[in-house]
Amino acid sequence: MKIHKYDTVIVGAGGAGMRAAIESTKRSRTAVLTKLYPTRSHTGAAQGGMAAALANVEEDNWEWHTFDTVKGGDYLVDQDAAEILAKEAIDAVLDLEKMGLPFNRTPNGTIDQRRFGGHSRNHGEAPVRRSCYAADRTGHMILQTLYQNCVKEGVEFFNEFYVLDQLITEEDGVRKSSGVVAYELATGEIHIFQAKAVIYASGGTGKFFKVTSNAHTLTGDGQAAVYRRGLPLEDMEFFQFHPTGIWRMGILLTEGARGEGGILRNKDGERFMEKYAPVMKDLASRDVVSRSIYTEIREGRGCGPEGDHVYLDLTHLPPEQLDAKLPDITEFARTYLGIEPYTDPIPIQPTAHYAMGGIPTNVEGEVLSDNTTVVPGLYAAGEVACVSVHGANRLGTNSLLDINVFGRRAGIAAAEYAHTVDFVELPENPAEFVVSQIERLRTSTGNERVATLRRELQETMDANVMVFRTEQTIKTAVEKIAELRERYKNVSIQDKGKRFNTDLLEAIELGNLLDLAEVMAVSALARKESRGGHYREDYPNRDDVNFMRHTMAYREVGDDGAESIRLDYKPVVQTRYQPMERKY
Amino acid sequence: MATPVLDKADAAGQPEPGFADSPYITVTFRVRRFNPEVSADAVWEDFQLEIDPKERVLDGLHKIKWDVDGTLTFRRSCAHGICGSDAMRINGKNRLACKTLIKDINPEKPITVEPIKGLTVLKDLVVDMEPFFQAYRDVMPFLITKDTNEPTRERLQSAEDRERFDDTTKCILCAACTSSCPVFWNDGQYFGPAAIVNAHRFIFDSRDEAGEQRLEILNDRDGVWRCRTTFNCTDACPRGIEVTKAIQEVKRALITRRF
Ligand SMILES: Cc1cc2nc3c(=O)[nH]c(=O)nc-3n(C[C@H](O)[C@H](O)[C@H](O)COP(=O)(O)OP(=O)(O)OC[C@H]3O[C@@H](n4cnc5c(N)ncnc54)[C@H](O)[C@@H]3O)c2cc1C
Ligand code: SF4
Ligand code: FES
């Protein structure tokens, strides 16, 4: 076991982690621990763009952007945070450009912008061109540019280090972050990182669904680590299902495809979004479009022999436009479906995409231990966190923005905090939890297999807590997850070695997914209304009287060791915008 | 080593929904195994799988890992050719396992899967990527500008100037090119195509002002002049980057000092 000491430790090297690292490395001694090589992070998969009211191609301003964000989130957005997001968006994009990001350009050489779902002119009048982009590779360019600047700044990375536990020490009656425990993939060695400040930037948790745009490695490790230590998770019932995933594979086809003019059609060739969203049509917000697609499918207007998908039609767009603006996604259709998008429509279905919920933070990225109290030394940013700028439904292009704005804020805040404090003493026997977890999995002779449990989990999540939910389906999921958690105790692995033991880590990741799936389902069961990404067929309307509030889920352990989830609620911060009915 | 054969009734043999209408076929994956914790020697091991030919080689590797032999070790993340984790030698050619469909690589014969060459194998298909990333870092892969006053707005760049280096911005640092290069196999000191591609990305970016410095780095004895123009790298690149052309452009820039 090795012990390291850093002012600031960042968990994760996606967009949020590296944006934080660029700031905190300048200000404090920083280590970035990442389970993947930085450039492998899933930020690189983002396609469509990053929102900012630059007004390069038409009139726009940050206030309209704030409004769209609040409305898009079905008014569950904390409006003070959304305002910061929209205001700082402009500098966030310009900063990236100065760091070298190769944005697409307008004829006069400024950053080009395009339309994206839910982004509008003057409070919903018409779609506006707000998304700054680099073809359909915006995330790739952000990830590369941030990594390049980390190389420039000499950021210290610990690659293929898996953070498996958060360390908390009580000092004068206050629970403070004292560091993290990490597992080195190459050697199996355990490392303790004592740190004055820890920033979680470990990304999403989409792998508990089967049809998903998320990478195999998005298993919610950060959320699970803090949750296990008794800290709350906010709004976990809100998960975004992106309308256009490749049929049955889930690989994403960016909303930019519709921004460029692509149209959704049912088996009769009908442009069905005109019925559901007369103004924004195919560019209505994602929850609306995903539900519309499933409504078409359920009412028998789906495509294919089983009527289980619809089409994304790009055939009316000039091939040169597809080549210039959507080169990657057209290639995905060719590679994985054998379809030529110039001439044939692409079969799509909604795909599990983005966790709106996560570790609650304030606008400085400080993690909360209840509705208001900050955990000293603990920060989070990016998809792992819930500020909440996305509320019940994130607008497209607002996450690449979120990771840059709040990654930067968390990096600065953590490093500055580190200057003002001493190290917090590590708890006694800091590696205890991780050591025993690994020991148990390595020596278990149980008869359950990780892959089987994971498949069953993914199937129950897809069937029961996806686009449409009811009390019945959610209860089915809750029961199934409880069964799987029980069976997980009997999981055994085949690889008993120390070197690159990915068999062991997949088992640990599954444990995290199971914990988080349970929080999601239990939070969803209690929310007896429909809002944004959370749609209850038994409660189809938004209920602002009872549910205009954030869910806060806490893990409780009884004296007998029995675990349970306690739900509490947190008020929504409303400043300028009163809730209105959401129409597109 | 024993060759595990999958029972058709096994979970791995169940057709994935979505491919229910297409016939499952039996393929043999012949995988190069190496684990120094077990043995100093690398061996070939055969696995027979029932698989839909429209699935990816990565799906096949997952079926082995998840249902047959959990010790099989490889890197992967995104599963759709965007993160660069899973470059490997498949039937003797460098490819991404997640971008290679079974049907496209003659599943009648055993499909051979081995680690990329020229980098030290650590376990099964996992190689040491450090030398690869070191070469990348050595070309100063970041925008360098000399202006003392940062502009308040973005720097302007014409669409044509942006287009000039578009191809090399696509690189995902998968190492498929570098590890297919015979010069790199024989001499690990050579920067290798990927590093040159990433130097190109900045040398030809109109905003960058350190082209000369980068060219000097690549003028080194281990630099661009080692390239023998075998085009292996261009064939290997899963992003369709014209790697050899980029290297040629860097060579030309070194001669003409115009870029
Ligand atoms: C296909 C796709 C397309 C998208 N397109 C867009 C778009 O066009 N616009 C937009 O705004 N948003 C888009 N999004 C959403 C957006 O890309 C993500 O929400 C965002 O990139 C998340 O960034 P992150 O830094 O929080 O996490 P990630 O980039 O996922 O990074 C997570 C990091 O955490 C590390 N990590 C995880 N667990 C551990 C652990 N236990 N120990 C150590 N390290 C760990 C990983 O190694 C990785 O470096 C898209 C998402 C997907 C999936
Ligand atoms: S140039 Fe192509 S093959 Fe080489 S590292 Fe980049 S993406 Fe991979
Ligand atoms: S797994 Fe990401 S490129 Fe293949």
Side-chain angles (χ1 to χ4, degrees):
Chain A
M1 192 163 57
K2 275 204 188 105
I3 299 190
H4 311 253
K5 263 180 141 177
Y6 284 87
D7 292 332
T8 309
V9 161
I10 300 175
V11 182
M18 292 203 283
R19 190 66 190 81
I22 288 170
E23 299 302 330
S24 84
T25 296
K26 290 177 192 156
R27 296 171 172 84
S28 69
R29 199 164 159 261
T30 299
V32 181
L33 317 186
T34 172
K35 76 176 179 184
L36 302 171
Y37 269 83
T39 56
R40 313 295 183 221
S41 304
H42 211 53
T43 292
Q47 302 166 355
M50 170 166 166
L54 298 183
N56 277 1
V57 289
E58 60 182 310
E59 187 187 356
D60 198 7
N61 63 58
W62 63 259
E63 191 272 321
W64 294 352
H65 185 184
T66 311
F67 171 80
D68 290 336
T69 302
V70 171
K71 174 182 169 190
D74 224 348
Y75 295 90
L76 197 70
V77 170
D78 286 326
Q79 296 184 11
D80 54 341
E83 191 168 315
I84 290 173
L85 182 81
K87 268 189 196 160
E88 294 187 8
I90 295 160
D91 276 339
V93 165
L94 297 178
D95 283 350
L96 285 171
E97 196 282 329
K98 286 168 199 165
M99 287 185 210
L101 199 141
F103 283 107
N104 276 42
R105 300 288 172 156
T106 63
N108 55 20
T110 56
I111 295 170
D112 198 14
Q113 300 188 272
R114 67 175 164 204
R115 291 180 181 155
F116 236 79
H119 290 280
S120 74
R121 156 218 300 280
N122 194 17
H123 315 100
E125 253 174 39
V128 75
R129 293 170 64 183
R130 185 178 291 146
S131 163
C132 310
Y133 67 99
D136 53 357
R137 310 186 175 115
T138 316
H140 166 76
M141 300 301 187
I142 289 179
L143 193 69
Q144 296 293 327
T145 301
L146 291 175
Y147 183 61
Q148 290 155 4
N149 280 272
C150 285
V151 171
K152 185 177 177 187
E153 298 293 338
V155 171
E156 193 175 346
F157 288 104
F158 290 80
N159 295 328
E160 302 190 317
F161 274 57
Y162 285 62
V163 169
L164 300 183
D165 196 14
Q166 166 63 35
L167 297 175
I168 302 263
T169 308
E170 199 169 307
E171 256 186 12
D172 311 323
V174 180
R175 277 160 53 87
K176 297 182 177 171
S177 169
S178 47
V180 297
V181 186
Y183 175 95
E184 183 180 0
L185 183 64
T187 60
E189 195 171 357
I190 290 172
H191 298 254
I192 311 281
F193 285 82
Q194 188 176 14
K196 295 177 180 173
V198 172
I199 307 175
Y200 280 89
S202 49
T205 175
K207 235 11 203 192
F208 49 39
F209 289 102
K210 182 164 144 212
V211 176
T212 174
S213 65
N214 281 199
H216 285 288
T217 46
L218 287 174
T219 51
D221 304 354
Q223 295 89 323
V226 303
Y227 173 68
R228 253 194 322 265
R229 291 287 169 200
L231 298 173
L233 294 178
E234 181 173 347
D235 288 343
M236 290 293 283
E237 65 271 40
F238 293 102
F239 206 91
Q240 178 167 83
F241 305 97
H242 191 293
T244 53
I246 289 183
W247 177 45
R248 281 173 173 165
M249 295 184 89
I251 297 172
L252 194 81
L253 302 178
T254 174
E255 195 169 286
R258 282 168 286 140
E260 293 292 338
I263 291 171
L264 295 171
R265 297 190 190 280
N266 62 20
K267 72 165 194 220
D268 306 318
E270 182 195 2
R271 182 179 194 180
F272 58 85
M273 279 313 299
E274 286 178 335
K275 292 185 296 200
Y276 302 97
V279 179
M280 297 293 280
K281 301 192 178 95
D282 298 278
L283 287 176
S285 86
R286 289 180 177 172
D287 55 321
V288 174
V289 182
S290 286
R291 276 196 297 281
S292 307
I293 292 172
Y294 271 128
T295 306
E296 290 296 302
I297 290 173
R298 284 173 157 196
E299 293 177 359
R301 292 186 294 279
C303 307
E306 289 167 56
D308 59 354
H309 56 277
V310 299
Y311 284 131
L312 173 63
D313 183 1
L314 305 175
T315 57
H316 54 293
L317 302 176
E320 313 80 69
Q321 186 183 351
L322 297 183
D323 293 349
K325 302 293 182 64
L326 302 166
D328 278 1
I329 64 145
T330 44
E331 193 192 304
F332 295 156
R334 290 179 195 119
T335 305
Y336 296 110
L337 294 167
I339 277 180
E340 177 45 67
Y342 295 160
T343 50
D344 292 305
I346 309 169
I348 56 98
Q349 74 176 90
T351 182
H353 186 55
Y354 182 85
M356 269 76 74
I359 303 173
T361 71
N362 62 20
V363 295
E364 306 306 333
E366 295 172 298
V367 171
L368 303 175
S369 62
D370 57 29
N371 287 359
T372 50
T373 315
V374 161
V375 183
L378 197 57
Y379 298 78
E383 193 167 337
V384 70
C386 180
V387 184
S388 153
V389 287
H390 308 304
N393 171 61
R394 170 176 73 81
L395 285 191
T397 67
N398 264 356
S399 173
L400 290 178
L401 175 57
D402 173 7
I403 62 180
N404 279 287
V405 167
F406 290 100
R408 174 177 169 277
R409 282 178 159 254
I412 295 173
E416 285 179 352
Y417 173 79
H419 279 299
T420 64
V421 294
D422 267 337
F423 284 96
V424 176
E425 222 170 289
L426 291 169
E428 227 174 284
N429 204 351
E432 187 180 12
F433 168 77
V434 173
V435 169
S436 68
Q437 184 187 29
I438 290 171
E439 216 25 53
R440 187 175 62 74
L441 287 167
R442 268 220 192 94
T443 55
S444 165
T445 53
N447 56 2
E448 293 287 356
R449 303 204 56 165
V450 170
T452 312
L453 298 191
R454 188 172 46 213
R455 274 188 201 112
E456 289 184 31
L457 172 67
Q458 291 170 342
E459 260 150 38
T460 199
M461 296 295 279
D462 275 24
N464 297 307
V465 288
M466 236 182 154
V467 173
F468 290 110
R469 303 167 173 179
T470 66
E471 170 128 5
Q472 195 47 52
T473 64
I474 303 171
K475 278 192 171 150
T476 307
V478 171
E479 277 161 29
K480 181 71 189 181
I481 296 163
E483 173 208 311
L484 293 171
R485 279 168 56 92
E486 211 36 52
R487 286 165 59 194
Y488 180 72
K489 294 178 184 155
N490 279 321
V491 149
S492 63
I493 54 174
Q494 288 170 301
D495 195 338
K496 314 285 184 193
K498 287 197 169 286
R499 202 179 169 86
F500 284 94
N501 191 340
T502 51
D503 203 22
L504 170 73
L505 287 154
E506 282 193 36
I508 293 174
E509 290 170 336
L510 172 65
N512 294 338
L513 289 177
L514 285 168
D515 286 355
L516 299 174
E518 186 181 38
V519 177
M520 159 177 269
V522 168
S523 304
L525 191 60
R527 188 172 281 276
K528 296 183 170 153
E529 65 154 355
S530 291
R531 185 187 294 273
H534 171 73
Y535 190 80
R536 293 277 303 251
E537 288 185 273
D538 42 356
Y539 300 95
N541 298 317
R542 198 173 79 195
D543 174 358
D544 288 340
V545 176
N546 295 302
F547 289 103
M548 177 59 87
R549 54 187 192 177
H550 300 290
T551 307
M552 300 284 275
Y554 296 80
R555 174 174 178 265
E556 306 255 287
V557 185
D559 294 337
D560 56 352
E563 290 177 35
S564 60
I565 298 172
R566 176 173 64 86
L567 295 185
D568 197 356
Y569 293 93
K570 186 173 101 171
V572 176
V573 180
Q574 293 182 355
T575 55
R576 297 167 193 251
Y577 308 107
Q578 286 311 306
M580 292 189 304
E581 194 194 342
R582 204 164 56 118
K583 281 203 198 115
Y584 283 102
Chain B
M1 241 187 252
T3 305
V5 179
L6 265 188
D7 192 302
K8 278 198 184 180
D10 197 291
Q14 295 296 319
E16 289 277 322
F19 299 110
D21 44 340
S22 66
Y24 263 41
I25 58 166
T26 307
V27 296
T28 303
F29 269 56
R30 182 161 293 163
V31 186
R32 191 75 175 157
R33 303 293 309 267
F34 171 66
N35 183 356
E37 281 185 299
V38 176
S39 156
D41 301 315
V43 292
W44 289 102
E45 186 173 5
D46 282 6
F47 299 91
Q48 253 158 328
L49 302 175
E50 299 290 306
I51 198 163
D52 184 289
K54 292 202 286 297
E55 287 188 76
R56 300 159 270 206
V57 170
L58 180 64
D59 297 316
L61 294 172
H62 272 146
K63 275 178 208 275
I64 298 171
K65 182 168 185 71
W66 293 343
D67 299 314
V68 184
D69 182 352
T71 67
L72 180 67
T73 304
F74 49 92
R75 292 188 176 108
R76 53 82 177 117
S77 183
C78 72
H80 65 285
I82 224 71
C83 75
S85 295
D86 59 343
M88 42 190 88
R89 249 167 106 80
I90 299 170
N91 285 353
K93 286 182 87 175
N94 280 3
R95 301 162 178 272
L96 298 178
C98 66
K99 236 187 148 176
T100 309
L101 304 193
I102 305 281
K103 69 178 173 60
D104 297 333
I105 48 165
N106 187 14
E108 314 272 289
K109 291 216 199 117
I111 294 170
T112 60
V113 184
E114 45 187 323
I116 46 176
K117 282 172 70 170
L119 294 160
T120 310
V121 180
L122 300 175
K123 182 177 173 185
D124 292 346
L125 304 170
V126 174
V127 300
D128 179 8
M129 294 293 288
E130 252 336 290
F132 172 82
F133 277 103
Q134 189 54 51
Y136 166 80
R137 289 190 291 263
D138 285 345
V139 301
M140 304 196 295
F142 38 81
L143 188 77
I144 300 175
T145 56
K146 305 213 165 88
D147 42 26
T148 37
N149 294 337
E150 285 239 309
T152 47
R153 293 290 296 195
E154 67 263 47
R155 292 193 177 80
L156 299 182
Q157 182 167 55
S158 71
E160 296 72 54
D161 283 345
R162 165 68 179 77
E163 186 57 29
R164 182 68 191 86
F165 64 105
D166 187 61
D167 202 35
T168 46
T169 62
K170 296 188 301 200
C171 176
I172 54 174
L173 297 169
C174 69
C177 55
T178 297
S179 64
S180 72
C181 173
V183 181
F184 182 76
W185 296 338
N186 293 331
D187 177 1
Q189 293 305 306
Y190 172 46
F191 276 99
I196 302 172
V197 160
N198 282 281
H200 178 283
R201 180 249 170 272
F202 289 100
I203 293 170
F204 292 94
D205 185 334
S206 59
R207 300 169 297 175
D208 187 80
E209 296 175 84
E212 287 288 346
Q213 269 168 277
R214 288 196 191 84
L215 285 174
E216 270 327 302
I217 294 172
L218 293 175
N219 204 9
D220 186 88
R221 51 181 292 273
D222 297 317
V224 281
W225 305 113
R226 306 294 297 272
C227 168
R228 292 279 164 270
T229 329
T230 53
F231 282 94
N232 282 18
C233 50
T234 304
D235 291 342
C237 179
R239 300 287 287 157
I241 298 171
E242 293 182 271
V243 181
T244 313
K245 184 173 164 217
I247 298 174
Q248 292 297 85
E249 288 178 354
V250 172
K251 285 182 182 169
R252 203 171 318 125
L254 262 169
I255 295 167
T256 62
R257 294 288 161 169
R258 284 179 52 188
F259 46 90

